[in-house]
C-alpha cells in the first residue's frame, strides 16, 4: 500500500510540477541520445572521448562562472560556454589525432589535462567550490530550465534525423574506416561532424549526471547491451532500453529517498551491467553443461580458430 | 575496368618500395601478383586503391587519372586481413551487406550472391560467431555488393581450408568470365586454379611482367 502511495505521489509530482516534467523530458531524451551515440563511440574504441570532452566542458563552465560571477559580465547561462568549450575540445582532439597519426590516443590525455588545469584555475579564481560547481560535477537534473528542455528537444530531433539520413555511412565508418574510404565516403568530414555532435551531447548530459559521470551514460548501457544483442540494431535498441530504465528508476529513487539523481541513474546502469554479466555467465555454464558435460573439463577452442 | 600504370615508383619516407612499374590490363583481364614478403605487393594494391597517394599521371582507371577517378563503388576489395574491422560489437552479415550497398542491387540479387557464396543461411548470424572461412566469404560478398568492374583480392585464401579455397577460385573465375577485371595477390601461382591472363612477379619493388596468353606459363612458374 505504501509503495502505491509513493508511486502515485511520484506520478502526481510529474503531472503537477514543471521542474519534474523538465527533468523527465531531459532524462528520457538524453537516455536515447547518449547510448545511441555511445554505440558508435564504443565500436571505434573511443570510450575515453566522452570523459575528455566533459572535462574540457567543465573548463568552459568554470570560465563562464568566473566571468559571470566575479567580473559581472552578462554572458547568460555558463552551460552555453561549456557547450562551446566542448566543441573546441572536440576540434582539438581531431587536430591532435591528425598530427599524431600513429599515436592518436595521445590526444585524449593532452585535452583532458588542459581541461582539468583550466577548471582548477578558474574554480579557484571564482572563489573555490560552491553549489554551481558541485551541480556541474554531479548533475542537477531537477533544476533544468524550460529553455534547456527546448534545446534538448531540438538537438535530439536533429541528431535522430542525421543518424537516419546517414545511417549507412556512419555504420561503415564506425566498423571499418578503411573500407569507408574505399567506397568514396568523406570519412574526415563525417568524423568532424560526429565529434562536434558528440561534444554537444556531452555538454548537455552534464545537466543530467554531471561532468564526472557523463561517459557512464554513453558507455555502460552499451557495454551491457553488447553482451545481449545479436545484431547491430537490436544492440543499440537494447542499450537505449537499459538507459531509459536507469533514467526512470534513478529519477524515481531519487524522488523517494531524496538522493542525487545523477548518481542513482549511473548506479542503476551499473546494476543492469552486473546483472547481464552474471546471468550470461550462469546461462553459459549451464548450456555447456547441458550440451556436453565432458567439455566442462577441457578448455574450449576459440571459434575464430576453426575454419 | 581498364587499368594503366605508367612508370610508377613509390616509397615510404626514404625507402623506395616500387620501382618503375608499368603495365596495362584490359577489361576482363586477370592478373596474379606474386612475390615474397616485403616485395611491394600490398603497396602496389594500396596505390591502385588510391590509399597510397601517387603523383598525377601514374595510374589511370578506365582512362581517368586516379586523382580524378570518382567511381570507387565499382572497385571491390578484399583485404589480406580483416584487422581494420572493429569486431566484438554485434552486427549481422545482412547488416554489413546492407550498409555497404550503395548501388541499385536489389534484395533478390543480394540473396543470390549470398547463395552463390554458400552463406545464405548465415545472413542473420552475428559475424562474431562465424569461422575464419565463413568470414572471408562474407567480406568477398561485401566486395561484390556494388557490382564491381574491378576486384582486388589481397591473399584472400590465407588460412582457409582447401575445400573453401577451391570453391573460392571457382567463384572468382566465374566473375572474371562475366567481364570483371581481377587482381589477385598471392605468394605463388601453384595453388591458384584461376583463369589468369597475366602474372606479375614483384622482386624488391621491380616487376617481371608475363602475359600468360603469349608465354608458356607452366614453364615460367616452375
Amino acid at each position: 500500500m505504501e509503495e502505491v502511495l509513493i508511486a502515485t505521489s511520484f506520478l502526481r509530482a510529474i503531472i503537477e510540477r514543471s521542474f519534474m516534467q523538465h527533468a523527465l523530458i531531459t532524462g528520457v531524451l538524453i537516455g536515447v541520445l547518449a547510448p545511441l551515440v555511445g554505440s558508435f563511440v564504443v565500436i571505434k574504441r573511443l570510450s575515453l572521448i566522452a570523459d575528455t570532452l566533459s572535462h574540457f566542458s567543465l573548463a568552459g563552465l568554470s570560465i563562464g562562472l568566473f566571468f559571470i560571477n566575479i567580473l559581472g559580465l552578462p554572458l547568460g547561462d555558463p552551460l552555453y560556454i561549456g557547450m562551446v568549450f566542448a566543441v573546441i575540445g572536440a576540434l582539438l582532439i581531431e587536430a591532435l589525432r591528425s598530427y599524431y597519426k600513429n599515436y592518436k590516443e595521445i590526444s585524449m590525455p593532452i585535452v583532458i589535462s588542459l581541461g582539468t588545469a583550466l577548471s582548477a584555475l578558474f574554480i579557484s579564481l571564482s572563489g573555490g567550490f560552491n553549489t554551481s560547481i558541485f551541480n556541474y560535477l554531479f548533475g542537477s537534473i531537477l533544476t533544468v530550465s524550460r529553455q534547456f528542455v527546448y534545446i534538448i528537444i531540438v538537438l535530439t530531433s536533429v541528431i535522430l534525423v542525421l543518424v537516419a539520413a546517414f545511417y549507412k555511412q556512419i555504420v561503415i565508418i564506425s566498423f571499418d574506416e578503411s573500407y569507408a574510404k574505399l567506397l568514396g565516403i568523406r570519412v574526415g568530414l563525417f568524423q568532424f561532424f560526429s565529434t562536434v555532435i558528440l561534444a554537444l551531447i556531452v555538454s548537455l548530459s552534464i545537466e543530467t549526471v554531471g561532468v564526472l559521470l557523463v561517459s557512464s551514460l554513453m558507455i555502460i548501457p552499451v557495454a551491457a547491451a553488447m553482451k545481449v544483442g545479436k545484431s547491430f540494431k537490436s544492440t543499440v535498441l537494447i542499450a537505449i532500453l537499459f538507459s531509459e530504465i536507469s533514467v526512470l528508476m534513478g529519477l524515481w529513487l531519487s524522488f523517494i529517498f531524496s538522493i542525487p539523481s545523477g548518481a542513482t541513474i549511473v548506479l542503476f546502469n551499473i546494476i543492469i551491467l552486473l546483472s547481464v554479466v552474471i546471468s550470461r555467465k550462469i546461462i553459459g555454464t549451464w548450456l555447456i553443461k547441458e550440451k556436453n558435460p565432458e567439455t566442462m573439463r577441457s578448455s574450449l577452442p576459440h571459434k575464430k580458430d576453426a575454419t | 575496368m581498364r587499368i594503366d600504370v605508367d612508370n610508377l615508383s613509390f616509397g615510404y619516407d626514404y625507402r623506395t618500395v616500387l620501382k618503375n612499374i608499368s603495365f596495362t590490363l584490359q577489361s576482363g583481364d586477370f592478373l596474379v601478383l606474386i612475390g615474397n614478403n616485403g616485395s611491394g605487393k600490398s603497396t602496389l594494391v594500396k596505390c591502385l586503391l588510391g590509399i597510397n597517394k601517387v603523383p598525377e599521371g601514374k595510374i589511370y582507371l578506365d582512362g581517368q587519372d586516379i586523382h580524378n577517378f570518382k567511381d570507387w563503388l565499382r572497385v571491390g576489395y578484399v583485404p589480406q586481413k580483416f584487422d581494420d574491422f572493429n569486431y566484438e560489437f554485434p552486427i549481422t552479415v545482412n547488416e554489413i551487406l546492407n550498409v555497404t550497398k550503395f548501388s541499385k542491387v536489389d534484395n533478390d540479387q543480394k540473396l543470390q550472391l549470398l547463395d552463390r557464396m554458400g552463406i545464405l543461411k548465415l545472413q542473420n548470424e552475428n559475424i562474431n560467431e562465424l569461422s575464419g572461412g565463413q568470414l572471408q566469404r562474407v567480406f568477398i560478398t561485401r566486395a561484390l555488393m556494388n557490382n564491381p568492374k574491378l576486384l582486388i583480392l589481397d591473399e584472400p585464401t590465407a588460412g582457409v581450408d582447401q575445400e573453401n579455397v577451391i570453391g573460392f577460385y571457382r567463384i572468382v573465375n566465374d566473375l572474371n568470365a562475366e567481364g570483371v577485371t581481377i587482381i589477385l595477390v598471392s605468394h605463388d601461382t601453384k595453388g591458384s586454379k584461376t583463369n589468369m591472363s597475366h602474372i606479375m612477379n614483384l622482386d624488391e619493388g621491380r616487376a617481371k611482367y608475363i602475359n600468360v596468353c603469349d608465354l608458356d606459363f607452366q614453364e615460367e612458374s616452375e
Side-chain angles (χ1 to χ4, degrees):
Chain A
M1 192 64 193
E2 198 179 339
E3 288 82 0
V4 175
L5 279 174
I6 291 168
T8 314
S9 62
F10 179 65
L11 287 174
R12 194 183 299 138
I14 289 172
I15 293 164
E16 290 175 357
R17 296 179 189 177
S18 60
F19 78 88
M20 281 299 287
Q21 292 164 7
H22 296 166
L24 187 70
I25 295 169
T26 305
V28 167
L29 294 182
I30 291 289
V32 174
L33 281 187
L36 174 67
V37 176
S39 300
F40 297 110
V41 169
V42 169
I43 298 167
K44 287 183 75 69
R45 293 182 164 83
L46 285 171
S47 299
L48 269 179
I49 199 169
D51 256 334
T52 310
L53 292 175
S54 67
H55 280 74
F56 208 78
S57 186
L58 180 65
L61 292 164
S62 315
I63 291 170
L65 281 175
F66 172 74
F67 279 114
I68 294 162
N69 294 346
I70 305 297
L71 300 183
L73 296 176
L75 294 176
D77 194 331
L79 196 71
Y80 303 127
I81 302 171
M83 285 169 75
V84 172
F85 263 71
V87 174
I88 293 170
L91 300 180
L92 206 53
I93 290 171
E94 282 303 310
L96 286 166
R97 278 165 61 84
S98 322
Y99 190 68
Y100 292 101
K101 280 194 173 65
N102 295 320
Y103 295 93
K104 289 182 175 177
E105 70 281 3
I106 279 180
S107 59
M108 307 282 183
I110 293 174
V111 176
I112 210 168
S113 306
L114 178 61
T116 311
L118 285 173
S119 306
L121 182 67
F122 280 92
I123 287 171
S124 169
L125 290 174
S126 305
F129 279 93
N130 52 37
T131 315
S132 302
I133 292 292
F134 188 85
N135 283 345
Y136 290 137
L137 286 176
F138 297 104
S140 58
I141 196 170
L142 297 176
T143 61
V144 295
S145 64
R146 182 179 291 271
Q147 195 182 7
F148 184 84
V149 174
Y150 290 146
I151 292 174
I152 286 273
I153 291 171
V154 171
L155 190 75
T156 306
S157 314
V158 170
I159 290 171
L160 291 179
V161 168
L162 286 175
V163 170
F166 298 106
Y167 174 76
K168 284 184 176 184
Q169 288 88 339
I170 296 169
V171 175
I172 298 175
I173 291 171
S174 305
F175 275 96
D176 197 341
E177 199 178 304
S178 309
Y179 204 76
K181 283 179 187 165
L182 284 179
L183 290 172
I185 296 169
R186 297 178 72 179
V187 174
L189 194 67
F190 270 96
Q191 263 170 351
F192 171 78
F193 282 112
S194 308
T195 317
V196 170
I197 286 170
L198 179 66
L200 292 174
I201 294 172
V202 165
S203 53
L204 291 175
S205 305
I206 287 173
E207 282 285 309
T208 318
V209 289
V211 167
L212 300 178
L213 301 172
V214 155
S215 67
S216 61
L217 272 189
M218 292 192 163
I219 309 303
I220 300 172
V222 181
M226 275 172 73
K227 295 295 171 191
V228 183
K230 290 287 172 201
S231 66
F232 176 73
K233 280 183 182 164
S234 70
T235 305
V236 174
L237 288 174
I238 292 168
I240 291 172
L241 179 70
F242 286 164
S243 172
E244 292 298 352
I245 291 171
S246 304
V247 166
L248 295 174
M249 288 304 288
L251 276 177
W252 186 52
L253 291 173
S254 83
F255 177 80
I256 295 168
F257 299 111
S258 297
I259 49 177
S261 52
T264 321
I265 291 168
V266 174
L267 285 175
F268 215 88
N269 263 322
I270 294 281
I271 290 169
I272 291 175
L273 174 67
L274 281 176
S275 311
V276 167
V277 172
I278 293 168
S279 53
R280 264 186 65 88
K281 192 87 182 162
I282 293 168
I283 292 168
T285 312
W286 179 78
L287 279 177
I288 294 171
K289 206 174 175 181
E290 279 288 303
K291 280 182 182 172
N292 191 357
E294 286 172 18
T295 57
M296 290 290 286
R297 292 176 183 276
S298 59
S299 59
L300 288 168
H302 193 279
K303 278 187 170 181
K304 286 228 170 72
D305 294 340
T307 51
Chain B
M1 182 177 286
R2 181 189 160 99
I3 300 169
D4 295 284
V5 177
D6 182 24
N7 206 22
L8 171 70
S9 294
F10 187 86
Y12 302 104
D13 296 326
Y14 300 104
R15 192 168 61 95
T16 307
V17 180
L18 301 175
K19 295 161 191 162
N20 309 112
I21 308 276
S22 296
F23 67 91
T24 295
L25 290 178
Q26 302 293 343
S27 290
D29 278 352
F30 192 140
L31 170 71
V32 176
L33 193 58
I34 59 171
N36 295 325
N37 285 337
S39 58
K41 303 189 296 290
S42 292
T43 303
L44 178 57
V45 163
K46 283 180 183 172
C47 290
L48 292 169
L49 290 168
I51 298 170
N52 288 341
K53 301 295 174 200
V54 300
E56 282 187 31
K58 296 294 179 187
I59 298 176
Y60 292 85
L61 300 176
D62 262 349
Q64 268 193 311
D65 191 303
I66 197 164
H67 288 265
N68 306 322
F69 186 74
K70 296 273 186 275
D71 204 8
W72 287 107
L73 288 179
R74 296 286 170 265
V75 179
Y77 174 56
V78 180
Q80 188 176 1
K81 292 175 185 169
F82 308 125
D83 292 349
D84 286 339
F85 199 90
N86 290 325
Y87 289 105
E88 293 194 33
F89 200 96
I91 186 164
T92 63
V93 171
N94 234 337
E95 284 178 316
I96 291 177
L97 300 182
N98 285 341
V99 297
T100 312
K101 182 165 69 75
F102 284 92
S103 300
K104 287 177 183 170
V105 176
D106 61 32
N107 202 45
D108 285 346
Q109 286 173 285
K110 185 184 77 181
L111 294 177
Q112 278 173 11
L113 208 52
L114 283 165
D115 193 25
R116 192 174 178 182
M117 291 291 164
I119 51 172
L120 186 60
K121 285 181 182 171
L122 302 177
Q123 60 172 316
N124 293 317
E125 291 293 321
N126 180 355
I127 60 154
N128 292 307
E129 290 168 9
L130 304 184
S131 70
Q134 290 168 331
L135 206 54
Q136 180 237 30
R137 278 182 278 169
V138 171
F139 283 98
I140 294 167
T141 313
R142 181 180 75 163
L144 299 174
M145 279 313 291
N146 294 305
N147 287 328
K149 292 197 286 181
L150 167 64
L151 185 59
I152 300 179
L153 308 147
D154 195 353
E155 300 196 28
T157 54
V160 179
D161 63 76
Q162 195 55 33
E163 190 185 339
N164 276 316
V165 169
I166 294 166
F168 165 74
Y169 282 123
R170 195 179 301 129
I171 292 162
V172 174
N173 285 338
D174 288 350
L175 288 166
N176 182 238
E178 290 164 17
V180 177
T181 307
I182 309 273
I183 296 179
L184 172 70
V185 179
S186 181
H187 265 301
D188 56 52
T189 57
K190 288 174 187 169
S192 314
K193 309 286 183 208
T194 66
N195 291 341
M196 67 184 96
S197 58
H198 302 76
I199 304 168
M200 184 189 288
N201 186 0
L202 274 177
D203 184 13
E204 292 184 352
R206 292 190 187 280
K208 184 183 175 189
Y209 186 52
I210 305 157
N211 190 333
V212 180
C213 304
D214 299 339
L215 296 171
D216 185 347
F217 158 68
Q218 291 301 328
E219 281 181 18
E220 288 291 329
S221 63
E222 285 301 317

